[in-house]
Structure formats: structure tokens, C-alpha cells
Amino acid sequence: MLVRLLYASRAVDTSPAAIDAILAQSRAHNMPSGITGILCYGSGIFLQAIEGGRMAISQLYGHIQRDARHKDVVLLHYEEIFERRFGGWTMGQVNLSRLNASTLLKYSDKPELDPYAVSGKVSLALLEELIATAAIVGRH
């Protein structure tokens, strides 16, 4: 059974080194667990979609909730899926500070990432647009 989970959190450390460390750890641990996904960050906020088996995703989300690098962890969306949407990335990344402000304005009232202020479906739509516009970078 495949599932997709979307969550938001605030970064405790927003330095490039901290972001790189989170991505490196994700890439190293997710593939053996069959987990794929995408991590967006901007203004100290993470928006992450993860996909994989139900148990693996549940365990990873529990780990994220206890991870000292995150605070204000909130579940935005969870669903059973027929196929992966983010299967091409062990953990793709998007630096939202490099996006055109109009992309963010399309989905919220201000040109900044704030998944706490919009529905999970809106955040998922933003991720879909990032795929469509090739804004995702990272190792496949």
C-alpha cells in the first residue's frame, strides 16, 4: 500500500549547511526504505511530501516529529495513492527564494511560503506546479 504524506515544519537552523545535512540524510536513508519525495524550503519553513509504504512513511513522520532540527511540525495532507508523483527523487529540493514570486502568489495571499495558512491540497498543488516548471533539483 502506497501513501503520500505532506507536512510543514519550521527549521531550527536555516543555514545552508543544515539544509544540506537534512537532504543528505534523507537521500541516504530514504532509498533503502523505498521512500521518495520533495523538500521545499524558504523563510525558515519546510514543506515536504514523502511517498512510500504506509509503515515506512508512518515511521519516518514519527521520526521527523521528534527531530530537534524541526519545530511546529504539522500534518497537512495524507492519502493512499495508486502511484508515486515524486518517485523520480530520493529527495528532490526546491529553494523557494529562487522562484518567481508569481508562482507563490498563485497559491497564497503573499509571495512567500506559508503552508500553515493554506490547505494541504493547495500546498500539494504548489508542489505539482514546481514539478511542471522543472523547479525541483537534486539527485534522482
Side-chain angles (χ1 to χ4, degrees):
M1 158 102 27
L2 288 174
V3 298
R4 178 180 303 122
L5 184 147
L6 181 66
Y7 77 90
S9 67
R10 297 187 196 283
V12 173
D13 180 354
T14 59
S15 71
I19 302 298
D20 289 345
I22 289 171
L23 286 166
Q25 182 179 4
S26 295
R27 289 178 180 131
H29 293 101
N30 289 353
M31 185 57 80
S33 300
I35 295 172
T36 57
I38 177 175
L39 174 68
C40 297
Y41 61 93
S43 302
I45 296 176
F46 292 115
L47 173 63
Q48 186 171 32
I50 49 178
E51 298 171 328
R54 185 185 339 210
M55 187 58 74
I57 294 299
S58 293
Q59 289 172 347
L60 177 57
Y61 184 62
H63 173 76
I64 290 164
Q65 289 176 304
R66 295 182 303 274
D67 190 328
R69 299 173 296 183
H70 299 271
K71 62 182 179 181
D72 303 330
V73 179
V74 64
L75 177 66
L76 299 174
H77 186 74
Y78 179 88
E79 65 183 326
E80 295 175 353
I81 57 175
F82 294 109
E83 62 185 27
R84 295 171 193 260
R85 185 66 182 108
F86 308 109
W89 298 274
T90 54
M91 191 47 61
Q93 78 182 81
V94 177
N95 184 339
L96 293 171
S97 66
R98 296 182 181 173
L99 284 182
N100 187 318
S102 64
T103 301
L104 292 170
L105 276 172
K106 183 176 180 180
Y107 297 99
S108 82
D109 60 343
K110 295 178 184 171
E112 57 193 39
L113 177 65
D114 188 1
Y116 296 95
V118 298
S119 74
K121 290 192 183 244
V122 166
S123 293
L124 200 54
L126 171 62
L127 294 180
E128 294 284 346
E129 177 147 338
L130 296 175
I131 289 173
T133 59
I136 301 170
V137 298
R139 298 182 192 121
H140 294 300

